[in-house]
């Protein structure tokens, strides 16, 4: 006996299987369909009526047209498919390439698979389920999950390049990355690697940094954020205030964002360098060299880079004080010259001369010397030379002292005694000695030198008008000439003096030539016996009587002017007639018939003549060169 099992679908299709056993398999039934199954028994001759129908439903159809995509916001997989005949529900499986799997169940035709790992490719299949039957898995579709969030983000400032370098660990599923710095502005950098540099960040800012991974479809969530500070801003409005009195400087600037402290450096043109550090906005720079050009840079320190340096600014320290100051006195012009060595940084110089009498004189020059023409005489002056630039004057200026030429002696007075001038004057300060000079109208000059305030000038020419002046001499120079005083010397002695003796009357007639300036003459005769005769006359001839006999007389003629005695002439010597012999006695010698004479010696006699006259008036004479003769 044979059996035929028949399955008839609701749409009229039917399928069968034959068997001699009590069971058989009907193959090729369409999925998800309802069938009425009946069995027929057959022998060689007959076929039975169909058995009671049994209603069955075939295995649900395999889901078709499966589509899956990633939900970037929450990293879940949304799976869609067409409805499957015969299914009551569906089971979605997501199998990761790392072995991880996740699933979801639904009665609809879409399902969201959560709990998938980030950054993985998942194979998605769908099974249709009815009761105890499941369809085969659908064809797998591949979906990539959201890239993993970057971890271990770090960042540091590249101080030399001026940008922020951000790094992180590799993120599964990432094709590229985007790093973001958010502060006063927002800047980003992208990279295919795990490092990128964010540029154009504001200085002195604190930025919040994060990184997210990118693939073809999704971006990961941002990494845990970190904060980093950028390098402080470059100090602005940097300027220098110089204290001209101390030659110290202060560096000042505006508030610098991000700076914790500051470091200022000043480098001079001679290589000298000084610095200061502060957390304020002013920094003192001391011990600067004079007369130097300094370049000042200010560095803001922030603990990050410490290299935000301002552009150099230039300033000049106060000029050096002039050195090797020396003075010299010009004896011709009485001016004082001051010279010094050139000072570093000086544009011009002010030389000050301050005298003991309070007089102050100034001299400005761009050179290294100055001439003072107006200093007071007989003064000690304190000389200072100050170097100047556009802002300051030199400090610690040396002071030296110098003496000017003596003042011309004042109140010069002169008197004349014959041909000698007596000159007096007032004391002149800083004088070592004086020279008084008499200049005659005939060109004759005579001087006297003394350390006192008076002296005599002898041997002046007679009958001259002399101009008297006095020079005061200091250690180096003389004064200017004093005011002049005028004197007139006594008239010259008469010349051509002639003296004639009248032997009979013992009268002497003296004559001489007239002398300029004389108003009268003193005629003096001085005898060898002390007898003196003197008289005054306005004539140039004079008779002298009553001279002693037998005397040698020196006769001088002295000129007289209104004010004083003049010069005496060279004396002329005369001899008066011998005196008459006195006490003449005679004695006759009868035997010899001779007469002997005796007499007293007569002054002035060189010899005697004895004359004898008889009664007939006959005379005889005899010259005798002895005291007595016969």
């Amino acid at each position: 006996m044979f059996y035929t099992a028949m399955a008839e679908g609701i749409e009229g299709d039917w399928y069968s299987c034959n068997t001699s056993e009590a069971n058989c398999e009907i193959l090729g039934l369409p999925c998800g369909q309802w069938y009425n199954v009946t069995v027929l028994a057959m022998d060689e001759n007959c076929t039975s009526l169909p058995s009671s129908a049994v209603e069955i439903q075939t295995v649900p159809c395999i889901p078709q047209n499966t589509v899956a995509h990633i939900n970037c916001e929450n990293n879940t997989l949304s799976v869609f498919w067409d409805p499957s005949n015969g299914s009551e529900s569906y089971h979605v499986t997501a199998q990761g390439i790392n072995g991880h799997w996740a699933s979801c169940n639904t009665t609809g035709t879409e399902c969201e698979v959560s709990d998938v790992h980030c950054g993985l490719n998942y194979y998605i299949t769908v099974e249709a389920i009815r009761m105890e039957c499941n369809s085969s898995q659908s064809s797998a579709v591949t979906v990539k999950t959201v890239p993993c969030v970057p971890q271990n983000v770090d960042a540091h400032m590249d101080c030399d390049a001026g940008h922020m370098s951000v790094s992180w660990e590799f993120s599964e599923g990432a094709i590229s990355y985007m790093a973001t710095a958010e502060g006063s502005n927002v800047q980003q950098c992208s990279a295919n690697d795990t490092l990128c540099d964010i540029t154009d960040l504001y200085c002195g800012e604190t930025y919040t940094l994060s990184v997210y991974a990118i693939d073809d479809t999704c971006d990961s969530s941002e990494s845990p954020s970190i904060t980093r500070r950028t390098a402080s801003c470059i100090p602005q409005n940097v300027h220098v205030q110089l204290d001209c009195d101390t030659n110290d400087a202060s560096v000042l600037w505006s508030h610098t964002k991000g700076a914790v402290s500051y470091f200022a450096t000043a480098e001079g043109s001679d290589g000298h360098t000084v610095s200061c550090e502060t957390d304020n906005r002013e920094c003192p720079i001391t011990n600067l060299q004079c007369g130097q050009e300094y370049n000042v840079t200010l560095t803001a320190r922030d603990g990050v880079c410490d290299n935000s340096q301002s552009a150099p600014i230039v300033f000049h320290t106060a000029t050096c004080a002039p050195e090797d100051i020396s003075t010299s006195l010009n004896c011709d012009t009485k001016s004082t010259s001051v010279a010094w060595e050139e000072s570093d940084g000086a544009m011009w110089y002010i030389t000050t001369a301050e005298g003991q009498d309070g007089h102050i004189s100034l001299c400005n020059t761009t050179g290294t010397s100055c001439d003072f023409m107006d200093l007071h005489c007989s003064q000690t002056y304190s000389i200072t030379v100050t170097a100047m630039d556009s802002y300051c004057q030199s400090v610690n200026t040396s002071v030296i002292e110098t003496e000017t030429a003596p003042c011309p002696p004042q109140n010069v007075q002169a008197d004349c005694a014959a041909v000698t001038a007596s000159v007096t004057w007032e004391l002149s300060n800083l004088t070592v000695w004086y020279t008084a000079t008499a200049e005659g109208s005939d060109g004759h000059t005579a001087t006297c030198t003394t350390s006192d305030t008076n002296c005599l000038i002898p041997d002046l020419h007679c009958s001259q008008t002399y101009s008297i002046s006095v020079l005061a001499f200091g250690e180096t120079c003389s004064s200017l000439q004093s005011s002049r005083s005028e004197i007139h010397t006594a008239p010259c002695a008469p010349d051509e003096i002639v003296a004639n003796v009248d032997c009979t009357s013992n009268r002497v007639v003296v004559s001489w030539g007239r002398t300029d300036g004389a108003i009268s003459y003193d005629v003096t005769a001085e005898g060898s016996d002390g007898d003196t005769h003197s008289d005054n006359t306005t004539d140039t001839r004079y008779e002298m009587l009553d001279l002693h006999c037998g005397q040698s007389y020196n006769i001088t003629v002295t000129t007289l002017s209104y004010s004083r005695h003049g010069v005496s002439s060279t004396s002329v010597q005369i001899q008066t007639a011998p005196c008459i012999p006195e006490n003449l006695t005679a004695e006759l010698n009868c035997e010899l018939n001779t007469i002997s004479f005796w007499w007293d010696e007569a002054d002035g006699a060189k010899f005697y003549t004895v004359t004898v006259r008889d009664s007939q008036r006959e005379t005889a004479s005899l010259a005798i060169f002895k005291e007595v003769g016969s």
Side-chain angles (χ1 to χ4, degrees), residues 219-290:
D219 299 341
S220 73
S221 299
E222 289 186 342
S223 66
S225 62
I226 60 172
T227 58
R228 293 289 186 271
R229 281 192 305 163
T230 54
S232 63
C233 296
I234 293 173
Q236 300 296 315
N237 300 321
V238 180
H239 59 285
V240 176
Q241 289 181 349
L242 180 66
D243 187 335
C244 294
D245 295 331
T246 63
N247 225 2
D248 294 333
S250 291
V251 184
L252 302 100
W253 57 91
S254 301
H255 172 71
T256 302
K257 194 172 183 180
V260 176
S261 64
Y262 303 88
F263 184 77
T265 300
E267 183 174 357
S269 49
D270 61 352
H272 177 247
T273 301
V274 291
S275 60
C276 63
E277 187 173 4
T278 182
D279 54 5
N280 297 317
R281 280 185 285 165
E282 179 178 353
C283 201
I285 299 178
T286 58
N287 301 318
L288 297 173
Q289 306 271 6
C290 61

Side-chain angles (χ1 to χ4, degrees), residues 251-559:
V251 184
L252 302 100
W253 57 91
S254 301
H255 172 71
T256 302
K257 194 172 183 180
V260 176
S261 64
Y262 303 88
F263 184 77
T265 300
E267 183 174 357
S269 49
D270 61 352
H272 177 247
T273 301
V274 291
S275 60
C276 63
E277 187 173 4
T278 182
D279 54 5
N280 297 317
R281 280 185 285 165
E282 179 178 353
C283 201
I285 299 178
T286 58
N287 301 318
L288 297 173
Q289 306 271 6
C290 61
Q292 294 296 314
E293 179 182 274
Y294 278 87
N295 284 326
V296 174
T297 55
L298 180 67
T299 302
R301 294 180 168 179
D302 51 25
V304 177
C305 288
D306 296 341
N307 68 342
S308 296
Q309 191 175 85
S310 67
I313 62 170
V314 176
F315 78 98
H316 293 79
T317 53
T319 180
C320 297
E323 295 183 348
D324 294 334
I325 302 172
S326 62
T327 62
S328 61
L329 186 60
N330 187 317
C331 294
D332 294 331
T333 63
K334 312 307 177 194
S335 63
T336 297
S337 294
V338 183
W340 55 89
E341 285 191 355
E342 186 175 2
S343 297
D344 288 342
M347 298 176 67
W348 78 95
Y349 303 88
I350 298 176
T351 306
T352 304
E354 184 172 359
Q356 290 174 312
D357 61 354
H359 173 244
I360 295 176
S361 183
L362 299 176
C363 175
N364 291 350
T365 180
T366 57
T368 56
S369 65
C370 227
D371 293 330
F372 287 95
M373 307 297 294
D374 61 343
L375 300 188
H376 294 177
C377 55
S378 290
Q379 288 295 310
T380 298
Y381 276 84
S382 296
I383 304 294
T384 58
V385 182
T386 303
M388 307 291 294
D389 60 19
S390 300
Y391 304 100
C392 295
Q393 65 182 34
S394 58
V395 296
N396 302 323
T397 300
S398 300
V399 180
I400 65 169
E401 289 189 345
T402 189
E403 294 180 352
T404 55
C407 291
Q410 300 297 308
N411 196 25
V412 175
Q413 297 183 8
D415 196 9
C416 184
V419 290
T420 297
S422 175
V423 188
T424 62
W425 55 88
E426 291 180 358
L427 182 71
S428 182
N429 192 30
L430 301 180
T431 299
V432 179
W433 77 89
Y434 303 88
T435 296
T437 301
E439 297 180 3
S441 52
D442 62 352
H444 173 250
T445 300
T447 62
C448 65
T449 299
T450 181
S451 59
D452 207 343
T453 56
N454 61 84
C455 69
L456 297 176
I457 305 176
D459 301 327
L460 302 180
H461 292 180
C462 56
S463 295
Q464 296 295 314
T465 298
Y466 276 87
S467 178
I468 307 296
S469 62
V470 182
L471 281 178
F473 287 84
E475 293 289 350
T476 306
C477 295
S478 67
S479 68
L480 295 173
Q481 202 73 255
S482 69
S483 58
R484 294 178 177 271
S485 178
E486 196 171 85
I487 62 167
H488 301 280
T489 54
C492 292
D495 55 3
E496 300 178 6
I497 297 176
V498 177
N500 294 312
V501 180
D502 184 344
C503 295
T504 301
S505 63
N506 233 3
R507 179 172 62 91
V508 176
V509 178
V510 183
S511 62
W512 57 87
R514 184 169 296 279
T515 301
D516 289 341
I519 60 171
S520 65
Y521 303 89
D522 273 343
V523 183
T524 301
E526 292 184 354
S528 53
D529 63 351
D531 179 45
T532 299
H533 287 262
S534 180
D535 205 352
N536 179 267
T537 181
T538 60
D539 201 357
T540 59
R541 182 180 181 281
Y542 185 74
E543 292 184 2
M544 303 186 71
L545 304 175
D546 300 327
L547 298 183
H548 291 181
C549 60
Q551 296 297 313
S552 175
Y553 276 88
N554 288 322
I555 297 176
T556 59
V557 180
T558 302
T559 56

Side-chain angles (χ1 to χ4, degrees), residues 62-246:
I62 298 172
Q64 300 297 314
N65 298 322
T66 303
V67 177
H69 67 265
I70 185 70
N71 297 311
C72 297
E73 292 77 13
N74 54 16
N75 199 28
T76 60
L77 301 175
S78 292
V79 185
F80 303 89
W81 58 92
D82 292 340
S84 296
N85 288 333
S87 64
E88 294 178 345
S89 64
Y90 300 91
H91 178 72
V92 180
T93 300
Q95 180 70 45
I97 59 174
N98 65 347
H100 175 259
W101 63 269
S103 64
C104 67
N105 297 305
T106 182
T107 58
T109 57
E110 63 179 87
C111 190
E112 188 172 278
V113 181
S114 58
D115 298 327
V116 292
H117 289 181
C118 58
L120 291 179
N121 282 320
Y122 276 85
Y123 299 100
I124 309 299
T125 59
V126 182
E127 294 177 286
I129 301 172
R130 189 194 76 245
M131 300 296 288
E132 70 280 358
C133 290
N134 297 340
S135 70
S136 297
Q137 290 183 336
S138 65
S139 299
V141 294
T142 303
V143 178
K144 185 178 180 183
T145 56
V146 175
C148 292
V149 176
Q151 300 297 314
N152 295 323
V153 175
D154 197 6
H156 70 276
M157 277 298 298
D158 187 327
C159 297
D160 294 330
H163 56 241
M164 186 77 74
S165 290
V166 186
S167 62
W168 55 88
E169 289 183 354
F170 172 76
S171 293
E172 197 70 44
I175 296 176
S176 64
Y177 302 89
M178 183 68 73
T180 302
E182 186 172 354
S184 295
N185 67 333
V186 177
Q187 295 294 334
Q188 293 180 316
C189 64
S190 61
N192 297 327
D193 202 348
T194 57
L195 176 70
C196 71
D197 298 326
I198 301 179
T199 59
D200 299 326
L201 299 179
Y202 293 162
C203 58
E205 287 271 358
T206 297
Y207 279 85
T208 299
L209 298 162
S210 61
V211 182
Y212 62 88
I214 303 170
D215 65 10
D216 292 332
T217 306
C218 293
D219 299 341
S220 73
S221 299
E222 289 186 342
S223 66
S225 62
I226 60 172
T227 58
R228 293 289 186 271
R229 281 192 305 163
T230 54
S232 63
C233 296
I234 293 173
Q236 300 296 315
N237 300 321
V238 180
H239 59 285
V240 176
Q241 289 181 349
L242 180 66
D243 187 335
C244 294
D245 295 331
T246 63

Side-chain angles (χ1 to χ4, degrees), residues 581-628:
E582 298 290 339
N583 299 318
L584 176 64
T585 61
E587 183 178 326
L588 177 64
N589 187 329
C590 294
E591 293 178 357
L592 299 177
N593 196 27
T594 59
I595 299 175
S596 297
F597 296 94
W598 288 269
W599 59 89
D600 292 340
E601 183 176 0
D603 289 342
K606 293 182 178 178
F607 61 92
Y608 300 91
T609 300
V610 179
T611 303
V612 178
R613 181 182 296 114
D614 60 16
S615 58
Q616 284 77 33
R617 302 197 66 81
E618 291 290 333
T619 61
S621 63
L622 178 66
I624 298 181
F625 292 91
K626 297 182 179 179
E627 280 191 357
V628 295

